[in-house]
Every structure is written in structure tokens, then in C-alpha cells.
């Protein structure tokens, strides 16, 4: 197998740029970019990226742009072409039909169903090289790759706290700890998710709506699934999460009688007896094609997720304010007895948002 030449590396750099165009819209799919080089191996004859789930894959779009000029050419693509029939046909078939001679791939696909395209192409006589600019391509798809490797959705836990770490006052009220700009940022964060999860305690205390709104107050066209974790089905029939502004899933225990107005999934109890089995909850979300989820509390449910090792990233909005009393961001059962229990995370970002600060940290647990 030849080693990728300068033209192919340059094309891959371009394909990585193209892939990033799919970032807000490709969910729950990966972002992918592709460039087709003509038979001379260096002239770009087509480009494409994956824009949205259900739409054409990057290599199919690039091949369509190239037309007959792809015959005998090279396709440079950031993720291994899929070999299965999902919502669209297998990309391997499209590459073979186009008469491509060589395929250069950055990242091999870890997906248990969609992966394996490189082998299919090689078996059909196409030259395949993998690993070209793999680090750069993987960085754009980092969250998707983590979720696929973990075999569950990527979980981001978000909270808003005072400087003394409190997420509500002693009476349970929490509106509003952070500023309007920080809350607008939360809507942006929500907009990049497939589901938003809260515990029934938060529904009872705050009656949140959990929708994505634009800065002008309008509801966004695409709304994540709202999920309430509620063993006994205590969500009130008139709760705002049950309106029709967005779809809602109530996760309840076997015997519960939840209110009508939402889809219901029945889950087993957690092994430690603290509510529902959260791994089963994430499986239920995977089954609904939800790959990126935002956990919005409260402290009890966040503790359940953390103790089960199911949080990948934390986004903390911290306001320069003090409450002195009230619940802190998380109640866990496993840590805090001694400094040996401390769990350290990798700081990913620090940003000022209006008068507040946003801290982002990622787990150090290996995938
Ligand atoms: N500032 C913030 O960012 C923020 C965000 C959210 C909430 N809050 C505040 O937090 C308070 C509410 O928090 P909370 O801790 O009482 O309620 P919560 O964490 O929203 O909900 C906890 C409930 O979830 C249910 N649950 C089901 N399975 C669970 C599991 N495996 N692990 C843990 N819980 C499970 C349990 O009720 P069942 O046993 O009935 O199922 C549990 O009591 C309110 O004061 C609210 O204002 C603040």
C-alpha cells in the first residue's frame, strides 16, 4: 500500500475542515468530511460533508459532486466509510459503484455495526490507507467517538452554583443563581444535546420547562428529548415538561402509575436501591438514538450518575454570590470521607460569561 502523498494529506486537512461544518446538526451521527481527487491523484474534483442524520453521508455527497471524474480517483475521508445499511445505503457500495481506485481514511469507525468498511473495500480490490491525520480528525469527533467506545450516550452534567457551591437556597428556590448571559449559554449548551435529564425532585421544586430557546425567547425548531427520572411516577400531571413544546420521556419503576402526556419507559431499580438503574436509562436513550445527553440535576440524581461512573464531563456555572445555606451541587454516597476519596478531573475550559464563570472538566477515566 502506498503511503499518503502531500496532495492526500492536504485533501485530508480540507476534509477535516469540511467535517466541522456538520458539528451542530449531524447528531446523533458523527461529523464526516470527504474530498475526491481525480485520477491524477491531486486535482480536487468533489467535496462533501455529513450535514444531518438521515441525509447523505459525506463520501456520497462528494462522489455526487465529482460525478464521472471520480472514476479511477481517490476518496479522502475523515471516518472509515460505513459498510451497513442504516438510514442511507452503505457508503462502501457507493464507492465501488463510482469506480474509485483508492480510499484514504483518517479514523477507523469503532461502531460495532457501521465499522468494517475498509475490509469490504479491500476485498473488492480498492487500495485503502487508514490513520492519515487521525488525531486532527478524531478531535472534531471526540464526543461521538467517546460515546461509541463507551457504548452509551456521552453524559454532560451541568449545574449552576454560588461561590459556596450551593445550587439552591435552604427553601429549595434556585431562580436565579446565575445571570441572564449564563442562562442563555445554557440554552446554547442544551441545543447541542439529544436529551436533557432531570430528577423528579427538580421537577417538583422548580417545574422547569427544559426546552431550547433562542435569545429572542422563541423555541428552537429542534428540541432535545426531555427526560424525568421518577421511580414512583410523582411528576404532576400539570408539569411544564409534559406540555407539547418538546417530546418527553418519563422513566419510572415497574409498578408506578405516571401521568399521561409523555412516553413512558419502565426501568429496573438500581442495585444500591437508590432509585432507578441509570445504566438501563442510558440504554433506553441509546435505543432512541440519543447520543449526547445533558444531566441538569438536581444534586441527588447527579450523585447517582457520578457514583455509577456515568458522567463524562461537568459544566459548572459559578456565580460570585454566597448563600451560606442550601443544598450543594451534588450528594454522593461514595466519596468525601477522607482526602483519599477525592476525585480529580481534567480542566478543559474556563470562560467568563457576563458576571459569572463557566468551568468545564472532563473525567480522567479511560474509554
Ligand atoms: N442550580 C442548579 O443547577 C440546579 C439544578 C437542578 C436542581 N436544582 C435544585 O435542586 C433541588 C432538587 O434536587 P433533588 O436532589 O431534591 O432532586 P433531583 O436530583 O432532581 O431528583 C432526585 C430524585 O430522582 C429520583 N431518582 C430516580 N432514580 C435515581 C437514582 N438512580 N439516583 C438518584 N435519584 C434517583 C429519586 O426520586 P424517586 O425515588 O421518587 O424516583 C430522587 O429523589 C431543588 O432545590 C432545585 O432547585 C438546582
Amino acid at each position: 500500500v502506498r503511503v499518503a502523498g502531500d496532495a492526500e494529506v492536504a485533501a485530508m486537512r480540507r476534509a477535516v475542515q469540511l467535517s466541522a461544518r456538520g458539528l451542530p446538526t449531524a447528531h446523533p451521527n458523527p461529523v464526516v468530511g470527504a474530498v475526491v481527487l481525480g485520477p491524477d491523484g491531486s486535482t480536487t474534483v468533489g467535496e462533501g460533508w455529513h450535514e444531518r442524520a438521515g441525509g447523505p453521508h459525506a463520501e456520497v455527497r462528494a462522489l455526487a459532486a465529482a460525478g464521472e471524474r471520480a472514476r479511477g480517483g481517490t476518496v479522502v475521508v475523515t471516518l472509515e466509510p460505513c459498510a451497513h445499511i442504516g438510514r442511507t445505503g452503505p457508503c462502501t457500495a457507493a464507492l465501488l459503484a463510482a469506480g474509485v481506485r483508492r480510499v484514504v481514511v483518517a479514523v477507523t469507525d469503532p461502531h460495532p455495526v457501521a465499522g468494517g468498511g475498509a475490509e469490504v473495500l479491500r476485498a473488492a480490490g480498492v487500495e485503502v490507507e487508514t490513520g492519515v491525520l487521525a488525531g486532527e480528525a478524531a478531535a472534531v469527533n471526540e464526543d461521538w467517538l467517546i460515546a461509541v467506545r463507551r457504548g452509551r450516550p456521552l453524559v454532560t452534567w451541568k449545574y449552576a452554583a454560588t461561590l459556596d457551591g450551593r445550587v439552591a437556597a435552604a427553601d429549595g428556590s434556585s431562580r436565579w443563581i446565575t445571570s441572564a448571559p449564563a442562562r442563555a449559554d445554557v440554552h446554547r449548551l442544551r441545543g447541542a444535546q439529544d436529551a436533557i435529564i432531570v430528577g423528579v425532585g427538580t421537577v417538583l421544586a422548580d417545574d422547569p420547562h427544559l426546552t431550547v430557546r433562542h435569545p429572542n425567547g422563541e423555541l428552537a425548531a429542534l428540541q432535545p428529548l426531555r427526560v424525568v427520572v421518577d421511580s414512583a411516577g410523582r411528576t404532576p400531571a400539570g408539569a411544564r415538561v409534559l406540555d407539547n413544546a418538546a417530546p418527553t420521556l418519563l422513566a419510572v419503576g415497574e409498578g408506578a402509575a405516571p401521568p399521561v402526556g409523555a412516553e413512558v419507559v419502565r426501568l429496573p431499580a438500581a442495585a444500591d436501591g437508590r432509585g432507578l438503574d441509570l445504566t438501563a436509562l442510558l440504554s433506553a436513550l441509546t435505543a432512541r438514538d440519543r447520543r449526547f445527553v445533558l444531566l441538569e440535576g438536581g444534586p441527588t440524581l447527579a450523585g447517582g450518575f457520578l457514583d455509577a461512573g456515568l458522567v463524562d464531563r461537568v459544566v459548572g456555572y459559578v456565580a460570585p454570590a454566597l448563600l451560606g445555606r442550601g443544598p450543594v451541587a451534588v450528594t454522593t454516597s461514595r466519596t468525601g470521607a477522607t482526602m483519599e476519596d477525592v476525585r480529580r478531573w481534567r480542566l478543559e475550559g474556563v470562560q467568563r460569561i457576563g458576571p459569572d464563570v463557566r468551568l468545564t472538566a472532563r473525567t480522567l477515566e479511560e474509554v
Side-chain angles (χ1 to χ4, degrees):
V1 174
R2 280 196 292 135
V3 173
D6 290 348
E8 290 176 351
V9 174
M12 186 64 84
R13 192 154 285 128
R14 171 71 182 154
V16 171
Q17 280 172 3
L18 290 168
S19 76
R21 294 188 187 176
L23 268 179
T25 50
H27 281 196
N29 285 359
V31 295
V32 187
V35 170
V36 184
L37 300 175
D40 67 358
S42 60
T43 310
T44 296
V45 295
E47 290 186 343
W49 71 95
H50 183 49
E51 199 174 337
R52 57 183 174 79
H57 288 189
E59 35 304 40
V60 171
R61 275 182 71 174
L63 286 171
E68 269 307 302
R69 291 171 297 170
R71 198 157 294 279
T74 301
V75 170
V76 177
V77 58
T78 57
L79 184 70
E80 182 181 359
C82 70
H84 82 310
I85 304 175
R87 277 175 279 219
T88 63
C91 291
T92 47
L95 289 160
L96 295 176
V100 166
R101 190 175 56 84
R102 181 172 155 81
V103 174
V104 178
V105 172
V107 178
T108 50
D109 190 340
H111 197 284
V113 178
E119 274 319 303
V120 172
L121 292 170
R122 282 194 188 109
V126 176
E127 236 179 76
V128 181
E129 187 176 338
T130 60
V132 177
L133 294 188
E136 288 170 43
V140 188
N141 254 335
E142 193 181 11
D143 287 357
W144 184 86
L145 286 164
I146 291 173
V148 170
R149 291 197 186 112
R150 290 211 195 283
R152 61 160 175 79
L154 185 107
V155 178
T156 299
W157 166 44
K158 164 257 150 186
Y159 66 89
T162 58
L163 266 185
D164 53 337
R166 301 187 191 271
V167 295
D171 69 355
S173 61
S174 62
R175 292 200 165 127
W176 295 107
I177 287 171
T178 49
S179 62
R183 297 194 317 266
D185 193 68
V186 170
H187 282 265
R188 189 198 51 75
L189 179 65
R190 279 182 186 165
Q193 313 292 326
D194 303 322
I196 302 172
I197 307 178
V198 292
V200 65
T202 296
V203 170
L204 294 172
D206 297 345
D207 193 16
H209 199 214
L210 303 180
T211 45
V212 181
R213 285 183 187 279
H214 296 303
N216 65 7
E218 265 175 43
L219 281 172
L222 261 183
Q223 294 288 338
L225 178 68
R226 301 177 288 188
V227 182
V228 183
V229 189
D230 179 9
S231 312
R234 291 187 289 149
T235 297
R240 294 173 76 215
V241 288
L242 295 179
D243 73 5
N244 54 16
T248 299
L249 179 68
L250 291 179
V252 302
E254 297 299 343
V260 292
E263 189 193 348
V264 171
V265 61
R266 293 190 186 271
L267 299 178
D272 64 3
R274 282 200 307 165
L276 297 173
D277 181 336
L278 299 173
T279 301
L281 171 68
L282 293 181
S283 300
L285 293 176
T286 301
R288 286 162 180 76
D289 246 350
R290 308 288 160 162
R291 210 185 292 281
F292 304 96
V293 307
L294 188 66
L295 170 63
E296 292 210 24
T300 309
L301 188 63
F305 270 86
L306 282 164
D307 287 342
L310 295 175
V311 178
D312 300 293
R313 188 200 277 135
V314 181
V315 180
Y317 294 86
V318 179
L322 295 168
L323 267 165
R325 290 175 62 202
V328 294
V330 65
T331 315
T332 84
S333 62
R334 296 232 184 116
T335 58
T338 139
M339 269 312 286
E340 278 172 25
D341 289 342
V342 77
R343 278 185 275 187
R344 298 207 184 268
W345 294 55
R346 178 167 58 82
L347 187 66
E348 231 178 20
V350 182
Q351 201 177 338
R352 290 181 77 132
I353 300 183
D356 305 318
V357 174
R358 185 185 69 199
L359 296 164
T360 310
R362 201 181 267 277
T363 176
L364 292 171
E365 269 167 45
E366 289 297 318
V367 182

